[in-house]
Amino acid sequence: MPKSSLSFIGGIIFCVTSFLSAQTPYLAHLGAPEGLSQGMIYDLLQDRRGYLWFSTKDGLNRYDGYHFQVFQNNPFLPFSLSDNEVQAMLEDRSGRIWCGTVNNGINIFDPTLNRFYHLTKLASQDISCFTQSADGAIWAGSGSGIFRIALGDIPSDAGHDLNNIARVETYHWEKLAPLHGSAGNRVVDVHSTSDGKIWISTFRMIGFIDPNTRAFYKIRDTQPDTDLFNNTSYFRSGPDGALWIGQSGQLLRIKDGQTTPFKLPEKSPYPYTNLVFDAQGHLFISTRKQIYKLENPSSVSPKEAVFQLIHRFPETGVIGSTRMCMDRGGILWIGTNGYGAYKYNPGNRHFYHYLAGKSPRRVVSDAKGRIWVWLADKAFGNLTNDGHTDLINEYDLLEHDLISDNQQHLWMLGEHRSSARGEGVLIRWNEETLREEARYELPMVIGVYSRIYRSKTGKFWIAGNKSVLGSFDPATGNCDTFSFSHVTGFQELSQAFLEEPDGSVWLGTPHGLLHGKPDGHSMRFHLFKTSPPDQQSMNCNSVLCLLNDPKAPNQYLWIGTKGGGLSLLDKTTGHFTHFTVQDGLPNNVVYGILADSGGSLWLSTNRGLSRFHPDKKLFQNFFSADGLQDDEFNTASYAQGVDGRFWFGGVNGITAFYPMALLEEAKSPDVWITRLRVNNQLATVEGGWLQKSLEETSFITLA
């Protein structure tokens, strides 16, 4: 897909290369005001229910998207967390969460009973990392080696200490002594790969434990450095099975027995290079001060690798990233070294954002596939990169609409700035050369929302101001006019128009929907408007857009209103059916409607973009967080390109996308009841109201 940009010099639109929005993305922050217990984030985890976990210096935090639940040590509760400083987490295949602490070993959290069990025999260990091997064992890295822990189901009557239930084995490496205090035995990261190997990195080396012999094989010494604590390596497996290792200033890819180094754009003085993959297989890299994205890492070579900078923390000051987590919804969570957590939503990869910071009032597609945009300076400009982009630069002309006649011509509708009455002008250009060929004065008033439409007869319909509809014949230059002010009772503009195969027309006005039928040299109009208490009449008189139903165009007409949502008119009965925010529409102002090849309707509103499935009566809504230009869109600012791409303009530029490239259904997150109060007291297992955690409880008995 072409990528270009528009810049403004002296009021003229010029085209430059690569105009996808390159602004620094917004990162939402979570900290103490939101309920996080402490700002130092050692590790992040999303569990199988969808909860996010943050391990900090002052407790374990569970986040449900709205609130934090904080778990901390209580010496009078045996099943509480043993140490508030938690620096590593893992969810095992049974759904238990393993917590490695700095000062009191390992805790195992049972989410069914909301209990923390302890391994007191490892209470003196500083646990830094976890992985689970194919046989179900948990491997825990520490400051003095690695532990293999075999733990089956925990009996319901078990105490808080699992020493008699868990089997613990200790591993360290030959030729590295003494065991305690050695940089070579201090485990930085541990990782299980699909071939059963347990990969281990220390401050001195990288190696793996063979699953069959339990022997350790060193494959690489870290680069010599006077500061051994800069020699860290963090693991992550790619979707193709390749092992990636993050180091200071570089990445290593181990695939098919070959080790390939990738040099990062900047060598960070900090030793923490963490890696996560998204659902598409793209790799995100955190180097404490920078967050990068590497697309298609499985197939790219070091020379081809392009590291896209996603976010840069300030070079001055100590704030930086520690760990990252990619949740199942595609949001990247970034922990920091004392400043809470940030979340980055890369948006839907099928949405493209153009003209950030601009507010296009009109978007038009011509027969050659060009997209023309009308901005606040009243000038139409070509959005695509084909050379000359400024169509006209005439001070006395206020431009309002543009249309292609499919006969090698562009037609522009405007008004003279100097005209006291606001009479319109119609200009014809050669579509190939963009040279003006003819100019016609119109006998009707033209305003800011006046529009021009191509008729099936070869003529043009012109929706002007002062409640006048014009019919312009390009063969003769004559323009017939039809007034409908006597029907609506107002002299006003019309913002929507549609022509039927029988030659009748629909006009959307601020005071109702008009159906006009030609009658000799005049036109007869019928007005539809609200008629309380008739629920089958219109629910809002202000009409912004119209579209015949893609599957039954002769019977149904879709209507976007300014406050009444989406309406459906049955042309055979004159009855209306309404769809509003109560039915799932994100907002009741519908600026534009386009239909995709599957029969779904796409609606631009004041609160996002909505796909409506008429058969299912289902709305699927998208917002700025999904990659849209903004939540608010503009009147008359929408078009479908000749290639099928949809273009919707709003207050912060244009959103463009191919509708059929989007997923048919967006996966909704799981819904959980997170709090229950009985007699205004929080219901808990400890309090006796619950036998299991609230997520596991299907009913309770009350007095």
Side-chain angles (χ1 to χ4, degrees):
M1 286 171 276
K3 301 178 181 180
S4 54
S5 173
L6 298 183
S7 59
F8 292 80
I9 304 175
I12 302 176
I13 303 179
F14 294 91
C15 188
V16 297
T17 58
S18 189
F19 78 118
L20 277 174
S21 176
Q23 295 179 329
T24 299
Y26 170 70
L27 268 64
H29 180 253
L30 296 174
E34 289 74 34
L36 188 67
S37 64
Q38 204 269 339
M40 177 67 194
I41 308 295
Y42 284 112
D43 202 1
L44 303 97
L45 168 73
Q46 185 179 35
D47 67 22
R48 61 187 59 192
R49 289 175 172 148
Y51 291 115
L52 285 163
W53 294 80
F54 302 84
S55 62
T56 76
K57 278 188 174 182
D58 190 21
L60 188 64
N61 293 247
R62 191 186 79 171
Y63 184 55
D64 60 20
Y66 301 92
H67 306 98
F68 283 95
Q69 181 179 0
V70 180
F71 299 91
Q72 293 174 317
N73 173 251
N74 184 335
F76 303 106
L77 293 177
F79 289 101
S80 72
L81 190 66
S82 68
D83 178 22
N84 286 342
E85 192 165 1
V86 182
Q87 64 179 351
M89 293 183 292
L90 169 79
E91 183 184 30
D92 68 19
R93 296 184 192 120
S94 299
R96 301 173 299 204
I97 296 177
W98 293 65
C99 306
T101 72
V102 173
N103 302 303
N104 210 350
I106 293 176
N107 289 233
I108 300 103
F109 178 70
D110 182 349
T112 299
L113 299 175
N114 280 353
R115 288 181 174 179
F116 288 90
Y117 296 94
H118 314 128
L119 291 176
T120 55
K121 69 174 61 175
L122 299 177
S124 63
Q125 299 298 325
D126 172 5
I127 305 299
S128 58
C129 50
F130 291 107
T131 193
Q132 186 169 22
S133 55
D135 60 1
I138 302 297
W139 296 76
S142 75
S144 56
I146 193 164
F147 305 100
R148 181 184 182 275
I149 306 163
L151 177 65
D153 294 335
I154 301 175
S156 58
D157 59 349
H160 65 90
D161 188 351
L162 300 181
N163 278 341
N164 295 327
I165 300 174
R167 187 172 71 254
V168 180
E169 302 171 7
T170 303
Y171 291 82
H172 52 87
W173 345 116
E174 294 180 354
K175 302 179 181 179
L176 288 173
L179 179 61
H180 295 279
S182 168
N185 274 331
R186 185 169 185 84
V187 178
V188 173
D189 199 15
V190 59
H191 182 73
S192 175
T193 51
S194 59
D195 58 3
K197 295 176 181 176
I198 306 300
W199 288 82
I200 300 163
S201 66
T202 73
F203 286 123
R204 289 191 187 274
M205 64 182 182
I206 300 170
F208 63 85
I209 292 178
D210 185 284
N212 298 316
T213 65
R214 303 283 174 87
F216 178 75
Y217 297 89
K218 182 175 69 173
I219 67 162
R220 190 180 185 94
D221 286 313
T222 54
Q223 297 177 356
D225 197 307
T226 54
D227 183 1
L228 284 175
F229 291 91
N230 275 341
N231 293 328
T232 60
S233 301
Y234 291 91
F235 302 109
R236 187 71 65 169
S237 290
D240 62 343
L243 178 66
W244 289 80
I245 305 174
Q247 297 182 318
S248 181
Q250 71 172 357
L251 308 179
L252 302 177
R253 182 179 67 193
I254 301 178
K255 184 177 182 181
D256 299 328
Q258 299 294 319
T259 300
T260 306
F262 290 75
K263 185 178 179 182
L264 292 171
E266 302 170 77
K267 182 174 174 60
S268 172
Y270 303 96
Y272 307 102
T273 302
N274 295 122
L275 313 171
V276 294
F277 286 89
D278 65 12
Q280 289 74 43
H282 305 314
L283 179 62
F284 287 80
I285 306 107
S286 163
T287 64
R288 181 56 71 95
K289 288 294 186 179
Q290 297 87 29
I291 308 292
Y292 296 107
K293 179 183 179 182
L294 175 61
E295 295 191 353
N296 304 313
S298 61
S299 58
V300 73
S301 69
K303 290 184 178 180
E304 299 168 331
V306 176
F307 292 93
Q308 176 189 354
L309 181 66
I310 297 297
H311 184 74
R312 183 189 297 276
F313 288 99
E315 292 298 325
T316 57
V318 297
I319 182 173
S321 62
T322 52
R323 293 293 181 96
M324 299 185 298
C325 172
M326 181 68 69
D327 72 19
R328 292 191 290 275
I331 294 177
L332 180 67
W333 297 84
I334 305 166
T336 70
N337 58 335
Y339 298 87
Y342 288 85
K343 64 175 181 178
Y344 164 61
N345 189 338
N348 194 301
R349 61 193 177 97
H350 295 295
F351 287 125
Y352 293 85
H353 183 191
Y354 302 105
L355 295 179
K358 306 296 180 182
S359 184
R361 297 183 179 180
R362 187 79 172 93
V363 181
V364 176
S365 172
D366 69 16
K368 291 188 172 295
R370 294 172 296 199
I371 299 297
W372 298 87
V373 181
W374 171 41
L375 293 158
D377 60 358
K378 308 294 192 293
F380 270 101
N382 177 16
L383 190 64
T384 47
N385 186 15
D386 65 351
H388 183 76
T389 60
D390 182 58
L391 190 56
I392 191 171
N393 188 23
E394 188 174 319
Y395 174 78
D396 187 52
L397 184 67
L398 297 176
E399 305 169 19
H400 295 318
D401 202 7
L402 187 71
I403 196 171
S404 171
D405 64 2
N406 288 339
Q407 296 180 359
Q408 303 299 312
H409 299 114
L410 287 174
W411 295 80
M412 178 183 286
L413 178 67
E415 64 173 304
H416 293 293
R417 190 190 300 267
S418 58
S419 172
R421 297 182 57 190
E423 288 91 346
V425 60
L426 196 58
I427 305 173
R428 188 183 75 211
W429 272 274
N430 182 289
E431 199 169 38
E432 186 70 36
T433 65
L434 298 181
R435 295 183 182 276
E436 182 178 329
E437 295 181 338
R439 185 172 294 211
Y440 305 89
E441 302 296 326
L442 299 175
M444 56 187 298
V445 177
I446 298 300
V448 65
Y449 286 112
S450 294
R451 302 274 295 276
I452 181 172
Y453 305 89
R454 188 172 62 247
S455 171
K456 297 174 178 63
T457 64
K459 297 181 180 181
F460 293 107
W461 292 103
I462 300 172
N465 209 342
K466 305 294 185 181
S467 297
V468 173
L469 175 67
S471 176
F472 176 80
D473 187 346
T476 63
N478 295 328
C479 184
D480 298 324
T481 59
F482 310 94
S483 174
F484 51 85
S485 62
H486 63 287
V487 182
T488 62
F490 297 88
Q491 288 194 346
E492 58 194 353
L493 55 87
S494 58
Q495 297 181 154
F497 178 91
L498 188 145
E499 183 185 49
E500 296 283 15
D502 63 0
S504 65
V505 298
W506 296 91
L507 281 166
T509 79
H511 292 91
L513 174 68
L514 284 167
H515 187 212
K517 292 185 177 182
D519 185 12
H521 295 290
S522 63
M523 184 168 286
R524 292 182 290 108
F525 291 100
H526 175 73
L527 179 65
F528 296 88
K529 60 187 304 182
T530 58
S531 181
D534 184 3
Q535 298 288 328
Q536 293 181 319
S537 68
M538 292 185 67
N539 68 342
C540 178
N541 287 331
S542 185
V543 177
L544 297 179
C545 52
L546 300 168
L547 180 75
N548 271 328
D549 185 78
K551 294 183 178 180
N554 294 327
Q555 183 174 0
Y556 296 113
L557 175 68
W558 291 99
I559 303 151
T561 71
K562 191 176 183 179
L566 178 69
S567 292
L568 177 65
L569 169 64
D570 187 331
K571 302 174 190 177
T572 62
T573 65
H575 295 161
F576 292 81
T577 305
H578 309 295
F579 303 91
T580 66
V581 292
Q582 283 77 22
D583 304 293
L585 186 66
N587 180 260
N588 281 336
V589 176
V590 179
Y591 289 118
I593 310 176
L594 294 174
D596 64 29
S597 59
S600 294
L601 307 181
W602 291 83
L603 318 169
S604 57
T605 76
N606 267 337
R607 194 174 180 271
L609 189 68
S610 184
R611 171 198 266 177
F612 179 62
H613 303 261
D615 296 337
K616 303 176 183 178
K617 304 296 187 291
L618 175 69
F619 289 93
Q620 180 183 356
N621 301 322
F622 302 88
F623 305 98
S624 57
D626 298 303
L628 304 184
Q629 53 82 33
D630 196 272
D631 284 344
E632 184 176 346
F633 287 85
N634 288 341
T635 304
S637 190
Y638 63 98
Q640 180 174 356
V642 295
D643 61 351
R645 184 147 59 153
F646 286 0
W647 303 77
F648 287 95
V651 297
N652 187 32
I654 294 175
T655 294
F657 60 97
Y658 292 93
M660 303 313 291
L662 294 169
L663 296 177
E664 180 63 23
E665 300 289 345
K667 183 182 184 302
S668 297
D670 294 331
V671 178
W672 299 99
I673 298 174
T674 58
R675 286 171 187 78
L676 173 67
R677 291 182 181 272
V678 180
N679 295 334
N680 205 32
Q681 298 297 315
L682 195 64
T684 63
V685 175
E686 293 81 3
W689 285 109
L690 305 177
Q691 299 299 314
K692 296 181 179 181
S693 67
L694 196 55
E695 292 84 0
E696 297 286 336
T697 299
S698 58
F699 69 92
I700 61 170
T701 302
L702 300 175

